[in-house]
Amino acid sequence: VTVSLIMPTVLFYVSQRAVFVAGCILYALSVAGFGSIIFLNKTNMIICGLVFRVLQGSANAALYTTSYSIFSMKFDGNEFMKINSIFKGTIGIGLLLGLLIGTILYIIGGYFLPFVVFSTFMLAVTPFVAKIIPSKASHEESKIMTKRDGADSQHDIEECVEDKGGMVKATAPNFVTVRRQMNPFRVVCALI
């Protein structure tokens, strides 16, 4: 819960790609660590199990928050709802297939194998997924402008100006803003 509360503020200043890659690495390492607790004695097993599950939950919160921030910045209205539905559907399919694949791996190699296979797969896929994630921080992304119909060339672009309300507006007549800039820390404080 704590990570979910501070993650919007982190995403405001740090690039989505960096947070996503860090979340993937932390998640994979915590899954592998949780799988390796079988080799510890009973007291250390309980302590390390709790630590690895907390780390896994924190990484999961970072991954979910980053995914939703990308969706909300790239898609509007009905498109966002469609992408969100697809995202939730793939999570459900993954949870269903995870039971089957995990059971098969458990039968083949015991308790440790499913965790190692999953964490290895996650680490192997992370560089490929990172290439498609935006590399700019949210506060930079919120200043992107789009051309209005009738704009004839790139030379119409001028500097952006922020007014007191946080609205980013263009001084050129052929461009409009696409997003209202807000401070995520204020949103989190308002929710608390």
Side-chain angles (χ1 to χ4, degrees), residues 119-141:
S119 60
T120 304
F121 178 75
M122 184 111 175
L123 286 174
V125 170
T126 299
F128 301 107
V129 175
K131 286 185 178 184
I132 62 172
I133 296 176
S135 61
K136 293 183 179 178
S138 295
H139 73 280
E140 295 173 9
E141 191 79 24

Side-chain angles (χ1 to χ4, degrees), residues 39-151:
F39 302 114
L40 301 174
N41 62 24
K42 190 174 184 177
T43 305
N44 290 336
M45 179 186 290
I46 293 171
I47 293 169
C48 289
L50 290 173
V51 168
F52 286 129
R53 292 299 281 177
V54 168
L55 290 175
Q56 187 176 358
S58 300
N60 198 20
L63 292 173
Y64 271 79
T65 307
T66 304
S67 299
Y68 283 120
S69 73
I70 292 169
F71 296 158
S72 66
M73 292 179 79
K74 299 296 179 190
F75 304 103
D76 290 327
N78 289 336
E79 288 181 20
F80 173 77
M81 296 306 290
K82 181 179 176 182
I83 295 298
N84 190 27
S85 299
I86 292 170
F87 181 65
K88 292 290 187 178
T90 55
I91 290 172
I93 291 170
L95 290 172
L96 289 173
L97 290 177
L99 292 172
L100 175 66
I101 295 169
T103 302
I104 292 170
L105 290 173
Y106 178 78
I107 291 170
I108 293 170
Y111 178 81
F112 185 61
L113 185 62
F115 295 101
V116 171
V117 168
F118 178 76
S119 60
T120 304
F121 178 75
M122 184 111 175
L123 286 174
V125 170
T126 299
F128 301 107
V129 175
K131 286 185 178 184
I132 62 172
I133 296 176
S135 61
K136 293 183 179 178
S138 295
H139 73 280
E140 295 173 9
E141 191 79 24
S142 64
K143 295 181 182 181
I144 294 176
M145 296 176 296
T146 58
K147 276 191 183 184
R148 213 188 302 166
D149 293 332

Side-chain angles (χ1 to χ4, degrees), residues 171-190:
T171 57
N174 291 331
F175 289 86
V176 294
T177 60
V178 293
R179 184 162 313 281
R180 182 169 176 82
Q181 182 179 1
M182 64 181 204
N183 185 349
F185 184 71
R186 287 185 183 173
V187 174
V188 171
C189 289

Side-chain angles (χ1 to χ4, degrees), residues 16-28:
Q16 295 165 335
R17 182 182 297 166
V19 173
F20 192 85
V21 168
C24 284
I25 292 170
L26 182 62
Y27 194 81

